[in-house]
Short mmCIF file of all heavy atoms in Angstrom, two decimals:
data_model
loop_
_atom_site.label_atom_id
_atom_site.label_comp_id
_atom_site.label_asym_id
_atom_site.label_seq_id
_atom_site.Cartn_x
_atom_site.Cartn_y
_atom_site.Cartn_z
N ILE A 88 -3.47 -4.88 -19.49
CA ILE A 88 -3.39 -4.91 -18.08
C ILE A 88 -1.94 -4.54 -17.72
O ILE A 88 -1.00 -5.14 -18.27
CB ILE A 88 -3.69 -6.34 -17.48
CG1 ILE A 88 -5.15 -6.63 -17.79
CG2 ILE A 88 -3.51 -6.32 -16.05
CD1 ILE A 88 -5.49 -8.08 -17.40
N TYR A 89 -1.75 -3.69 -16.81
CA TYR A 89 -0.43 -3.19 -16.31
C TYR A 89 -0.37 -3.45 -14.83
O TYR A 89 -1.34 -3.24 -14.03
CB TYR A 89 -0.19 -1.76 -16.63
CG TYR A 89 -0.18 -1.44 -18.05
CD1 TYR A 89 -1.37 -0.98 -18.65
CD2 TYR A 89 0.94 -1.52 -18.80
CE1 TYR A 89 -1.33 -0.71 -19.99
CE2 TYR A 89 0.94 -1.29 -20.13
CZ TYR A 89 -0.17 -0.85 -20.69
OH TYR A 89 -0.15 -0.58 -22.09
N PHE A 90 0.77 -3.97 -14.38
CA PHE A 90 1.00 -4.15 -12.93
C PHE A 90 2.24 -3.48 -12.55
O PHE A 90 3.25 -3.32 -13.29
CB PHE A 90 1.29 -5.65 -12.66
CG PHE A 90 0.14 -6.56 -12.87
CD1 PHE A 90 0.07 -7.27 -14.03
CD2 PHE A 90 -0.90 -6.57 -11.89
CE1 PHE A 90 -0.99 -8.15 -14.29
CE2 PHE A 90 -1.98 -7.46 -12.14
CZ PHE A 90 -2.09 -8.28 -13.31
N LEU A 91 2.32 -2.88 -11.38
CA LEU A 91 3.50 -2.22 -10.82
C LEU A 91 3.58 -2.52 -9.44
O LEU A 91 2.69 -2.26 -8.63
CB LEU A 91 3.29 -0.74 -11.04
CG LEU A 91 4.40 0.27 -10.57
CD1 LEU A 91 5.81 -0.15 -11.18
CD2 LEU A 91 4.09 1.66 -10.66
N HIS A 92 4.72 -3.24 -9.09
CA HIS A 92 4.97 -3.57 -7.63
C HIS A 92 6.02 -2.67 -7.20
O HIS A 92 7.10 -2.71 -7.77
CB HIS A 92 5.36 -5.01 -7.58
CG HIS A 92 5.33 -5.52 -6.11
ND1 HIS A 92 4.18 -5.71 -5.44
CD2 HIS A 92 6.35 -5.85 -5.30
CE1 HIS A 92 4.54 -6.19 -4.21
NE2 HIS A 92 5.83 -6.22 -4.12
N LEU A 93 5.73 -1.87 -6.17
CA LEU A 93 6.56 -0.73 -5.75
C LEU A 93 7.50 -1.03 -4.65
O LEU A 93 8.18 -0.20 -4.22
CB LEU A 93 5.70 0.45 -5.53
CG LEU A 93 4.86 0.85 -6.62
CD1 LEU A 93 3.86 2.04 -6.15
CD2 LEU A 93 5.70 1.50 -7.77
N ARG A 94 7.48 -2.20 -4.04
CA ARG A 94 8.33 -2.56 -2.98
C ARG A 94 9.24 -3.70 -3.38
O ARG A 94 8.82 -4.62 -3.92
CB ARG A 94 7.55 -2.97 -1.65
CG ARG A 94 8.34 -3.15 -0.51
CD ARG A 94 7.48 -3.47 0.68
NE ARG A 94 7.12 -4.91 0.52
CZ ARG A 94 6.33 -5.61 1.43
NH1 ARG A 94 5.80 -4.95 2.49
NH2 ARG A 94 5.98 -6.78 1.22
N GLY A 95 10.51 -3.62 -3.01
CA GLY A 95 11.45 -4.61 -3.42
C GLY A 95 12.24 -5.07 -2.25
O GLY A 95 12.82 -4.25 -1.46
N GLY A 96 12.33 -6.37 -1.99
CA GLY A 96 13.17 -6.94 -0.87
C GLY A 96 12.71 -6.33 0.50
O GLY A 96 11.57 -6.27 0.80
N GLU A 97 13.72 -5.86 1.20
CA GLU A 97 13.47 -5.22 2.57
C GLU A 97 13.23 -3.73 2.39
O GLU A 97 13.01 -3.00 3.48
CB GLU A 97 14.61 -5.47 3.49
CG GLU A 97 14.79 -7.01 3.73
CD GLU A 97 13.56 -7.60 4.34
OE1 GLU A 97 12.98 -6.97 5.41
OE2 GLU A 97 13.10 -8.68 3.99
N ILE A 98 13.37 -3.17 1.21
CA ILE A 98 13.23 -1.68 1.00
C ILE A 98 11.70 -1.41 0.87
O ILE A 98 11.03 -1.93 0.09
CB ILE A 98 13.90 -1.24 -0.23
CG1 ILE A 98 15.42 -1.61 -0.17
CG2 ILE A 98 13.74 0.23 -0.48
CD1 ILE A 98 16.26 -1.37 -1.43
N MET A 99 11.20 -0.48 1.76
CA MET A 99 9.85 -0.09 1.74
C MET A 99 9.84 1.36 1.36
O MET A 99 10.55 2.22 1.94
CB MET A 99 9.22 -0.33 3.09
CG MET A 99 9.15 -1.82 3.39
SD MET A 99 8.54 -2.19 5.03
CE MET A 99 6.98 -1.26 5.12
N CYS A 100 8.86 1.72 0.47
CA CYS A 100 8.78 3.05 0.04
C CYS A 100 7.44 3.66 0.64
O CYS A 100 6.57 2.95 0.82
CB CYS A 100 8.65 3.21 -1.48
SG CYS A 100 10.14 2.54 -2.27
N GLU A 101 7.51 4.93 0.94
CA GLU A 101 6.36 5.63 1.39
C GLU A 101 5.72 6.34 0.26
O GLU A 101 5.79 7.53 0.14
CB GLU A 101 6.73 6.64 2.51
CG GLU A 101 7.23 5.93 3.76
CD GLU A 101 6.17 5.25 4.50
OE1 GLU A 101 4.97 5.59 4.49
OE2 GLU A 101 6.41 4.17 5.05
N ILE A 102 5.09 5.57 -0.67
CA ILE A 102 4.57 6.15 -1.89
C ILE A 102 3.12 6.56 -1.62
O ILE A 102 2.31 5.82 -1.18
CB ILE A 102 4.64 5.15 -3.07
CG1 ILE A 102 6.14 4.92 -3.35
CG2 ILE A 102 3.90 5.75 -4.31
CD1 ILE A 102 6.37 3.86 -4.31
N THR A 103 2.75 7.81 -2.14
CA THR A 103 1.41 8.30 -2.01
C THR A 103 0.81 8.44 -3.47
O THR A 103 1.51 8.91 -4.29
CB THR A 103 1.39 9.70 -1.33
OG1 THR A 103 1.93 9.61 -0.06
CG2 THR A 103 -0.02 10.30 -1.25
N ALA A 104 -0.42 7.89 -3.56
CA ALA A 104 -1.07 8.06 -4.92
C ALA A 104 -2.08 9.21 -4.82
O ALA A 104 -2.74 9.25 -3.80
CB ALA A 104 -1.81 6.75 -5.21
N CYS A 105 -2.03 10.01 -5.87
CA CYS A 105 -2.87 11.13 -5.91
C CYS A 105 -3.65 11.11 -7.33
O CYS A 105 -3.14 10.61 -8.24
CB CYS A 105 -2.14 12.48 -5.73
SG CYS A 105 -1.34 12.64 -4.14
N ILE A 106 -4.73 11.86 -7.31
CA ILE A 106 -5.42 11.96 -8.59
C ILE A 106 -5.75 13.46 -8.78
O ILE A 106 -6.07 14.23 -7.91
CB ILE A 106 -6.80 11.16 -8.61
CG1 ILE A 106 -7.43 11.25 -10.06
CG2 ILE A 106 -7.74 11.58 -7.57
CD1 ILE A 106 -8.49 10.16 -10.26
N ILE A 107 -5.63 13.87 -10.13
CA ILE A 107 -5.99 15.33 -10.45
C ILE A 107 -7.38 15.30 -11.03
O ILE A 107 -7.60 14.59 -12.05
CB ILE A 107 -4.95 15.78 -11.45
CG1 ILE A 107 -3.52 15.85 -10.85
CG2 ILE A 107 -5.36 17.18 -11.95
CD1 ILE A 107 -2.45 16.17 -11.72
N LYS A 108 -8.20 16.01 -10.40
CA LYS A 108 -9.67 16.18 -10.82
C LYS A 108 -9.84 17.65 -10.80
O LYS A 108 -9.58 18.37 -9.86
CB LYS A 108 -10.59 15.50 -9.85
CG LYS A 108 -10.56 14.08 -9.78
CD LYS A 108 -11.68 13.62 -8.87
CE LYS A 108 -11.72 12.10 -8.74
NZ LYS A 108 -12.69 11.65 -7.76
N ASP A 109 -10.36 18.19 -11.96
CA ASP A 109 -10.69 19.63 -11.97
C ASP A 109 -9.54 20.55 -11.56
O ASP A 109 -9.65 21.44 -10.85
CB ASP A 109 -12.01 19.99 -11.16
CG ASP A 109 -13.18 19.19 -11.60
OD1 ASP A 109 -13.41 18.95 -12.82
OD2 ASP A 109 -13.96 18.74 -10.76
N LYS A 110 -8.39 20.10 -12.03
CA LYS A 110 -7.09 20.89 -11.72
C LYS A 110 -6.67 20.91 -10.27
O LYS A 110 -5.82 21.66 -9.91
CB LYS A 110 -7.16 22.28 -12.25
CG LYS A 110 -7.43 22.32 -13.87
CD LYS A 110 -7.41 23.79 -14.29
CE LYS A 110 -7.65 23.79 -15.88
NZ LYS A 110 -7.70 25.11 -16.24
N GLN A 111 -7.30 20.04 -9.49
CA GLN A 111 -7.02 19.94 -7.99
C GLN A 111 -6.48 18.53 -7.82
O GLN A 111 -6.93 17.58 -8.27
CB GLN A 111 -8.19 20.13 -7.17
CG GLN A 111 -8.84 21.54 -7.37
CD GLN A 111 -7.93 22.54 -6.66
OE1 GLN A 111 -7.40 22.38 -5.62
NE2 GLN A 111 -7.87 23.74 -7.29
N GLU A 112 -5.32 18.51 -7.00
CA GLU A 112 -4.72 17.14 -6.64
C GLU A 112 -5.36 16.68 -5.35
O GLU A 112 -5.37 17.42 -4.33
CB GLU A 112 -3.22 17.40 -6.47
CG GLU A 112 -2.50 16.08 -6.22
CD GLU A 112 -0.96 16.29 -6.15
OE1 GLU A 112 -0.36 16.68 -7.20
OE2 GLU A 112 -0.46 16.18 -5.00
N GLU A 113 -5.85 15.45 -5.45
CA GLU A 113 -6.49 14.88 -4.22
C GLU A 113 -5.65 13.53 -3.85
O GLU A 113 -5.34 12.75 -4.74
CB GLU A 113 -7.91 14.43 -4.48
CG GLU A 113 -8.76 15.56 -4.86
CD GLU A 113 -10.23 15.10 -5.24
OE1 GLU A 113 -10.60 13.96 -4.86
OE2 GLU A 113 -10.92 15.98 -5.78
N LYS A 114 -5.40 13.38 -2.56
CA LYS A 114 -4.76 12.18 -2.07
C LYS A 114 -5.72 11.04 -2.18
O LYS A 114 -6.92 11.13 -1.79
CB LYS A 114 -4.28 12.35 -0.71
CG LYS A 114 -3.38 11.24 -0.17
CD LYS A 114 -2.92 11.41 1.23
CE LYS A 114 -2.22 12.70 1.43
NZ LYS A 114 -1.69 12.86 2.82
N VAL A 115 -5.25 9.86 -2.74
CA VAL A 115 -6.12 8.70 -2.90
C VAL A 115 -5.74 7.65 -1.82
O VAL A 115 -6.56 7.13 -1.10
CB VAL A 115 -6.00 8.08 -4.34
CG1 VAL A 115 -6.80 6.82 -4.41
CG2 VAL A 115 -6.44 9.13 -5.35
N LEU A 116 -4.38 7.38 -1.72
CA LEU A 116 -3.95 6.24 -0.84
C LEU A 116 -2.57 6.44 -0.44
O LEU A 116 -1.71 6.88 -1.39
CB LEU A 116 -4.19 4.94 -1.50
CG LEU A 116 -3.98 3.72 -0.61
CD1 LEU A 116 -5.01 3.61 0.49
CD2 LEU A 116 -3.99 2.45 -1.50
N GLU A 117 -2.17 6.25 0.78
CA GLU A 117 -0.74 6.34 1.27
C GLU A 117 -0.15 4.93 1.29
O GLU A 117 -0.90 3.98 1.37
CB GLU A 117 -0.67 7.02 2.56
CG GLU A 117 -1.09 8.48 2.45
CD GLU A 117 -1.01 9.23 3.77
OE1 GLU A 117 -1.36 8.64 4.84
OE2 GLU A 117 -0.58 10.38 3.77
N THR A 118 1.14 4.93 1.37
CA THR A 118 1.93 3.69 1.49
C THR A 118 1.54 2.63 0.43
O THR A 118 1.38 1.49 0.72
CB THR A 118 1.93 3.04 2.92
OG1 THR A 118 0.60 2.67 3.20
CG2 THR A 118 2.51 3.97 3.92
N VAL A 119 1.47 3.10 -0.71
CA VAL A 119 1.09 2.24 -1.89
C VAL A 119 2.20 1.29 -2.18
O VAL A 119 3.33 1.57 -2.30
CB VAL A 119 0.73 3.08 -3.14
CG1 VAL A 119 0.46 2.22 -4.39
CG2 VAL A 119 -0.45 3.98 -2.89
N GLU A 120 1.80 -0.04 -2.42
CA GLU A 120 2.73 -1.09 -2.66
C GLU A 120 2.44 -1.68 -4.06
O GLU A 120 3.37 -2.18 -4.70
CB GLU A 120 2.62 -2.13 -1.64
CG GLU A 120 3.52 -3.37 -1.83
CD GLU A 120 3.30 -4.41 -0.74
OE1 GLU A 120 2.17 -4.83 -0.63
OE2 GLU A 120 4.31 -4.71 -0.18
N HIS A 121 1.25 -1.75 -4.50
CA HIS A 121 0.87 -2.46 -5.77
C HIS A 121 -0.13 -1.56 -6.55
O HIS A 121 -1.06 -1.02 -5.95
CB HIS A 121 0.25 -3.72 -5.41
CG HIS A 121 -0.07 -4.63 -6.55
ND1 HIS A 121 0.84 -5.39 -7.31
CD2 HIS A 121 -1.30 -4.75 -7.14
CE1 HIS A 121 0.21 -6.02 -8.25
NE2 HIS A 121 -1.16 -5.62 -8.18
N VAL A 122 0.14 -1.45 -7.88
CA VAL A 122 -0.81 -0.75 -8.77
C VAL A 122 -1.08 -1.69 -9.86
O VAL A 122 -0.22 -2.31 -10.48
CB VAL A 122 -0.11 0.54 -9.35
CG1 VAL A 122 -1.06 1.23 -10.29
CG2 VAL A 122 0.26 1.42 -8.22
N GLU A 123 -2.39 -1.80 -10.28
CA GLU A 123 -2.90 -2.60 -11.37
C GLU A 123 -3.88 -1.74 -12.21
O GLU A 123 -4.75 -1.16 -11.70
CB GLU A 123 -3.62 -3.88 -10.93
CG GLU A 123 -4.14 -4.74 -11.98
CD GLU A 123 -4.81 -5.98 -11.49
OE1 GLU A 123 -4.71 -6.32 -10.27
OE2 GLU A 123 -5.62 -6.61 -12.22
N ALA A 124 -3.61 -1.74 -13.46
CA ALA A 124 -4.43 -0.91 -14.38
C ALA A 124 -5.00 -1.85 -15.49
O ALA A 124 -4.36 -2.59 -16.12
CB ALA A 124 -3.63 0.24 -14.96
N LYS A 125 -6.32 -1.74 -15.62
CA LYS A 125 -6.98 -2.36 -16.79
C LYS A 125 -7.85 -1.23 -17.53
O LYS A 125 -8.87 -0.79 -16.95
CB LYS A 125 -8.00 -3.37 -16.23
CG LYS A 125 -7.30 -4.57 -15.58
CD LYS A 125 -8.38 -5.57 -15.04
CE LYS A 125 -7.71 -6.75 -14.38
NZ LYS A 125 -8.68 -7.70 -13.77
N GLY A 126 -7.23 -0.78 -18.58
CA GLY A 126 -7.78 0.31 -19.26
C GLY A 126 -7.73 1.51 -18.36
O GLY A 126 -6.68 1.97 -17.89
N ASN A 127 -8.87 2.18 -18.08
CA ASN A 127 -8.81 3.37 -17.23
C ASN A 127 -9.29 3.11 -15.79
O ASN A 127 -9.65 4.02 -15.02
CB ASN A 127 -9.53 4.51 -17.86
CG ASN A 127 -11.07 4.26 -18.02
OD1 ASN A 127 -11.50 3.17 -17.72
ND2 ASN A 127 -11.73 5.29 -18.45
N ILE A 128 -9.28 1.87 -15.45
CA ILE A 128 -9.64 1.33 -14.11
C ILE A 128 -8.33 0.97 -13.38
O ILE A 128 -7.64 0.01 -13.79
CB ILE A 128 -10.59 0.18 -14.00
CG1 ILE A 128 -11.92 0.57 -14.78
CG2 ILE A 128 -10.90 -0.23 -12.59
CD1 ILE A 128 -12.74 1.69 -14.28
N VAL A 129 -7.94 1.68 -12.31
CA VAL A 129 -6.79 1.50 -11.53
C VAL A 129 -7.07 1.00 -10.18
O VAL A 129 -7.85 1.69 -9.51
CB VAL A 129 -5.91 2.81 -11.54
CG1 VAL A 129 -4.60 2.61 -10.75
CG2 VAL A 129 -5.65 3.31 -12.91
N THR A 130 -6.45 -0.06 -9.81
CA THR A 130 -6.53 -0.57 -8.44
C THR A 130 -5.26 -0.40 -7.70
O THR A 130 -4.19 -0.78 -8.21
CB THR A 130 -7.01 -2.07 -8.45
OG1 THR A 130 -8.23 -2.20 -9.07
CG2 THR A 130 -7.22 -2.61 -6.99
N LEU A 131 -5.37 0.25 -6.55
CA LEU A 131 -4.14 0.51 -5.60
C LEU A 131 -4.32 -0.34 -4.40
O LEU A 131 -5.39 -0.43 -3.85
CB LEU A 131 -4.07 1.98 -5.28
CG LEU A 131 -4.14 2.97 -6.51
CD1 LEU A 131 -4.58 4.33 -5.98
CD2 LEU A 131 -2.84 3.01 -7.14
N VAL A 132 -3.18 -0.85 -3.96
CA VAL A 132 -3.19 -1.59 -2.63
C VAL A 132 -2.01 -1.05 -1.86
O VAL A 132 -0.93 -0.96 -2.37
CB VAL A 132 -3.01 -3.11 -2.91
CG1 VAL A 132 -3.09 -3.95 -1.59
CG2 VAL A 132 -4.10 -3.68 -3.97
N ASN A 133 -2.23 -0.82 -0.58
CA ASN A 133 -1.13 -0.33 0.25
C ASN A 133 -0.61 -1.49 1.09
O ASN A 133 -0.98 -2.65 1.05
CB ASN A 133 -1.59 0.90 1.10
CG ASN A 133 -2.53 0.55 2.19
OD1 ASN A 133 -2.83 -0.64 2.49
ND2 ASN A 133 -3.01 1.70 2.88
N LEU A 134 0.39 -1.10 1.95
CA LEU A 134 1.13 -2.03 2.74
C LEU A 134 0.24 -2.76 3.69
O LEU A 134 0.60 -3.90 4.14
CB LEU A 134 2.22 -1.42 3.58
CG LEU A 134 3.40 -0.81 2.72
CD1 LEU A 134 4.31 0.00 3.65
CD2 LEU A 134 4.16 -1.89 2.09
N PHE A 135 -0.83 -2.24 4.07
CA PHE A 135 -1.80 -2.82 5.04
C PHE A 135 -2.93 -3.58 4.41
O PHE A 135 -3.89 -4.10 5.06
CB PHE A 135 -2.37 -1.70 5.93
CG PHE A 135 -1.18 -0.87 6.55
CD1 PHE A 135 -1.05 0.46 6.03
CD2 PHE A 135 -0.40 -1.33 7.44
CE1 PHE A 135 0.01 1.29 6.52
CE2 PHE A 135 0.59 -0.53 7.97
CZ PHE A 135 0.86 0.76 7.53
N GLY A 136 -2.87 -3.74 3.05
CA GLY A 136 -3.87 -4.55 2.35
C GLY A 136 -5.13 -3.66 1.96
O GLY A 136 -6.06 -4.21 1.36
N GLU A 137 -5.11 -2.39 2.29
CA GLU A 137 -6.28 -1.57 1.97
C GLU A 137 -6.27 -1.34 0.49
O GLU A 137 -5.20 -1.11 -0.18
CB GLU A 137 -6.14 -0.15 2.60
CG GLU A 137 -7.31 0.73 2.33
CD GLU A 137 -7.12 2.15 3.00
OE1 GLU A 137 -6.18 2.31 3.73
OE2 GLU A 137 -8.02 3.00 2.75
N LYS A 138 -7.41 -1.57 -0.15
CA LYS A 138 -7.50 -1.49 -1.64
C LYS A 138 -8.53 -0.37 -2.09
O LYS A 138 -9.54 -0.27 -1.50
CB LYS A 138 -8.06 -2.84 -2.19
CG LYS A 138 -8.11 -2.94 -3.72
CD LYS A 138 -8.81 -4.26 -4.07
CE LYS A 138 -7.89 -5.41 -3.87
NZ LYS A 138 -8.50 -6.65 -4.53
N VAL A 139 -8.04 0.39 -3.05
CA VAL A 139 -8.80 1.45 -3.58
C VAL A 139 -8.83 1.39 -5.10
O VAL A 139 -7.82 1.17 -5.70
CB VAL A 139 -8.27 2.86 -3.21
CG1 VAL A 139 -9.05 3.97 -3.90
CG2 VAL A 139 -8.30 3.09 -1.67
N THR A 140 -9.97 1.54 -5.75
CA THR A 140 -10.21 1.40 -7.17
C THR A 140 -10.65 2.81 -7.75
O THR A 140 -11.65 3.33 -7.12
CB THR A 140 -11.05 0.28 -7.65
OG1 THR A 140 -10.61 -0.96 -7.18
CG2 THR A 140 -11.21 0.24 -9.13
N ILE A 141 -9.97 3.31 -8.68
CA ILE A 141 -10.28 4.62 -9.21
C ILE A 141 -10.45 4.50 -10.72
O ILE A 141 -9.79 3.67 -11.34
CB ILE A 141 -9.32 5.70 -8.82
CG1 ILE A 141 -7.90 5.35 -9.26
CG2 ILE A 141 -9.36 5.96 -7.30
CD1 ILE A 141 -6.87 6.44 -9.03
N LYS A 142 -11.16 5.46 -11.37
CA LYS A 142 -11.25 5.58 -12.79
C LYS A 142 -10.26 6.70 -13.08
O LYS A 142 -10.45 7.85 -12.75
CB LYS A 142 -12.59 5.96 -13.24
CG LYS A 142 -12.78 5.90 -14.76
CD LYS A 142 -14.22 6.07 -15.07
CE LYS A 142 -14.41 6.01 -16.62
NZ LYS A 142 -15.84 6.23 -16.99
N ALA A 143 -9.15 6.30 -13.73
CA ALA A 143 -8.06 7.34 -14.04
C ALA A 143 -7.11 6.71 -14.99
O ALA A 143 -7.07 5.58 -15.41
CB ALA A 143 -7.32 7.58 -12.72
N ARG A 144 -6.08 7.63 -15.43
CA ARG A 144 -5.03 7.17 -16.23
C ARG A 144 -3.73 7.68 -15.57
O ARG A 144 -3.77 8.79 -14.98
CB ARG A 144 -5.18 7.68 -17.66
CG ARG A 144 -5.18 9.18 -17.82
CD ARG A 144 -5.35 9.54 -19.28
NE ARG A 144 -5.68 10.91 -19.39
CZ ARG A 144 -6.89 11.45 -19.58
NH1 ARG A 144 -7.87 10.65 -19.68
NH2 ARG A 144 -7.09 12.72 -19.65
N PHE A 145 -2.66 6.94 -15.82
CA PHE A 145 -1.38 7.33 -15.26
C PHE A 145 -0.88 8.64 -15.80
O PHE A 145 -0.96 8.81 -17.00
CB PHE A 145 -0.38 6.24 -15.51
CG PHE A 145 0.99 6.49 -15.09
CD1 PHE A 145 1.40 6.44 -13.67
CD2 PHE A 145 1.95 6.94 -15.96
CE1 PHE A 145 2.68 6.80 -13.32
CE2 PHE A 145 3.20 7.22 -15.64
CZ PHE A 145 3.61 7.15 -14.22
N LYS A 146 -0.40 9.51 -15.00
CA LYS A 146 0.26 10.77 -15.43
C LYS A 146 1.78 10.77 -15.18
O LYS A 146 2.56 10.97 -16.14
CB LYS A 146 -0.38 12.00 -14.79
CG LYS A 146 0.24 13.19 -15.26
CD LYS A 146 -0.48 14.47 -14.69
CE LYS A 146 0.45 15.64 -15.09
NZ LYS A 146 -0.17 16.87 -15.37
N SER A 147 2.12 10.52 -13.85
CA SER A 147 3.64 10.54 -13.64
C SER A 147 3.99 9.86 -12.27
O SER A 147 3.16 9.72 -11.52
CB SER A 147 4.06 12.13 -13.53
OG SER A 147 3.45 12.74 -12.48
N TYR A 148 5.29 9.63 -12.13
CA TYR A 148 5.70 9.16 -10.85
C TYR A 148 6.98 9.99 -10.52
O TYR A 148 7.86 10.15 -11.38
CB TYR A 148 6.14 7.73 -10.91
CG TYR A 148 6.81 7.26 -9.73
CD1 TYR A 148 6.16 7.12 -8.49
CD2 TYR A 148 8.19 6.86 -9.78
CE1 TYR A 148 6.82 6.74 -7.33
CE2 TYR A 148 8.88 6.48 -8.60
CZ TYR A 148 8.25 6.48 -7.36
OH TYR A 148 8.83 6.10 -6.26
N ASN A 149 7.03 10.50 -9.36
CA ASN A 149 8.26 11.31 -8.92
C ASN A 149 8.87 10.61 -7.76
O ASN A 149 8.27 10.49 -6.64
CB ASN A 149 7.82 12.69 -8.57
CG ASN A 149 8.95 13.62 -8.21
OD1 ASN A 149 10.04 13.18 -7.75
ND2 ASN A 149 8.79 14.92 -8.55
N ALA A 150 10.11 10.01 -7.91
CA ALA A 150 10.79 9.33 -6.88
C ALA A 150 11.32 10.27 -5.81
O ALA A 150 11.51 9.91 -4.69
CB ALA A 150 11.98 8.54 -7.46
N ASP A 151 11.44 11.54 -6.18
CA ASP A 151 12.04 12.53 -5.14
C ASP A 151 11.01 12.78 -4.05
O ASP A 151 11.42 12.90 -2.88
CB ASP A 151 12.29 13.88 -5.88
CG ASP A 151 13.54 13.71 -6.74
OD1 ASP A 151 14.41 12.93 -6.49
OD2 ASP A 151 13.67 14.51 -7.68
N ASN A 152 9.77 12.87 -4.34
CA ASN A 152 8.74 13.04 -3.32
C ASN A 152 7.82 11.78 -3.13
O ASN A 152 6.78 11.93 -2.46
CB ASN A 152 7.86 14.31 -3.57
CG ASN A 152 7.08 14.21 -4.90
OD1 ASN A 152 7.02 13.17 -5.54
ND2 ASN A 152 6.43 15.27 -5.20
N ASN A 153 8.17 10.65 -3.74
CA ASN A 153 7.48 9.45 -3.58
C ASN A 153 6.02 9.51 -3.91
O ASN A 153 5.16 9.11 -3.08
CB ASN A 153 7.69 8.85 -2.18
CG ASN A 153 9.08 8.35 -1.94
OD1 ASN A 153 9.81 7.92 -2.95
ND2 ASN A 153 9.63 8.54 -0.80
N LYS A 154 5.67 10.15 -5.00
CA LYS A 154 4.31 10.39 -5.35
C LYS A 154 4.00 9.87 -6.74
O LYS A 154 4.71 10.12 -7.68
CB LYS A 154 3.99 11.91 -5.30
CG LYS A 154 2.50 12.26 -5.49
CD LYS A 154 2.26 13.65 -5.33
CE LYS A 154 2.50 14.29 -3.99
NZ LYS A 154 2.10 15.71 -3.98
N ILE A 155 2.93 9.12 -6.89
CA ILE A 155 2.32 8.67 -8.13
C ILE A 155 1.17 9.36 -8.46
O ILE A 155 0.17 9.61 -7.61
CB ILE A 155 2.23 7.09 -8.22
CG1 ILE A 155 1.84 6.62 -9.61
CG2 ILE A 155 1.27 6.67 -7.23
CD1 ILE A 155 2.02 5.08 -9.80
N ILE A 156 1.08 10.00 -9.63
CA ILE A 156 -0.05 10.90 -10.03
C ILE A 156 -0.84 10.26 -11.12
O ILE A 156 -0.39 9.81 -12.09
CB ILE A 156 0.42 12.29 -10.46
CG1 ILE A 156 1.40 12.97 -9.50
CG2 ILE A 156 -0.64 13.21 -10.89
CD1 ILE A 156 0.73 13.39 -8.28
N PHE A 157 -2.20 10.28 -10.96
CA PHE A 157 -3.12 9.83 -11.99
C PHE A 157 -4.01 11.07 -12.39
O PHE A 157 -4.10 11.95 -11.59
CB PHE A 157 -4.00 8.78 -11.36
CG PHE A 157 -3.28 7.47 -11.03
CD1 PHE A 157 -2.79 7.34 -9.74
CD2 PHE A 157 -2.99 6.57 -12.00
CE1 PHE A 157 -2.11 6.12 -9.45
CE2 PHE A 157 -2.27 5.45 -11.70
CZ PHE A 157 -1.83 5.21 -10.43
N GLU A 158 -4.58 10.97 -13.56
CA GLU A 158 -5.57 11.98 -14.02
C GLU A 158 -6.86 11.39 -14.17
O GLU A 158 -7.02 10.28 -14.64
CB GLU A 158 -5.10 12.54 -15.26
CG GLU A 158 -3.86 13.40 -15.24
CD GLU A 158 -3.55 13.98 -16.63
OE1 GLU A 158 -3.48 13.13 -17.66
OE2 GLU A 158 -3.40 15.18 -16.78
N SER A 159 -7.94 12.11 -13.80
CA SER A 159 -9.28 11.67 -14.10
C SER A 159 -9.54 11.70 -15.62
O SER A 159 -9.18 12.67 -16.19
CB SER A 159 -10.25 12.66 -13.35
OG SER A 159 -11.57 12.20 -13.39
N PRO A 160 -10.04 10.67 -16.17
CA PRO A 160 -10.14 10.60 -17.66
C PRO A 160 -11.23 11.58 -18.20
O PRO A 160 -12.01 12.10 -17.47
CB PRO A 160 -10.64 9.21 -17.93
CG PRO A 160 -11.15 8.72 -16.75
CD PRO A 160 -10.52 9.43 -15.58
#
């Protein structure tokens, strides 16, 4: 089980989670605050409490464009 909490103190990040499927990048959720992974099941929660669960594996995180990328397994 992996946890990633992306907001610290008063600093809020505008992080967007995307998944790559069939070589195409698709937006999954914006303003992501929390990521939890159990095997290849990833749960994302945004600042508003919206929760999305996807079947994926972590690929990369880019702080320059505030994007976390997952790949379809």
Side-chain angles (χ1 to χ4, degrees):
I88 299 175
Y89 296 95
F90 295 100
L91 177 61
H92 191 72
L93 301 171
R94 186 179 76 179
E97 296 299 314
I98 301 170
M99 294 174 53
C100 298
E101 295 290 327
I102 297 171
T103 300
C105 297
I106 188 166
I107 297 175
K108 291 183 181 179
D109 301 321
K110 299 182 183 181
Q111 296 289 322
E112 185 177 294
E113 298 176 18
K114 189 182 300 182
V115 177
L116 189 64
E117 295 180 319
T118 62
V119 174
E120 178 183 56
H121 182 82
V122 178
E123 179 180 344
K125 294 179 183 175
N127 63 354
I128 302 298
V129 179
T130 301
L131 308 161
V132 182
N133 71 7
L134 293 172
F135 309 105
E137 184 180 357
K138 184 186 286 189
V139 175
T140 300
I141 58 175
K142 187 173 183 179
R144 62 180 168 261
F145 174 79
K146 179 177 172 144
S147 66
Y148 171 70
N149 185 327
D151 291 334
N152 64 6
N153 293 326
K154 190 181 286 187
I155 187 166
I156 306 289
F157 297 92
E158 289 181 308
S159 187

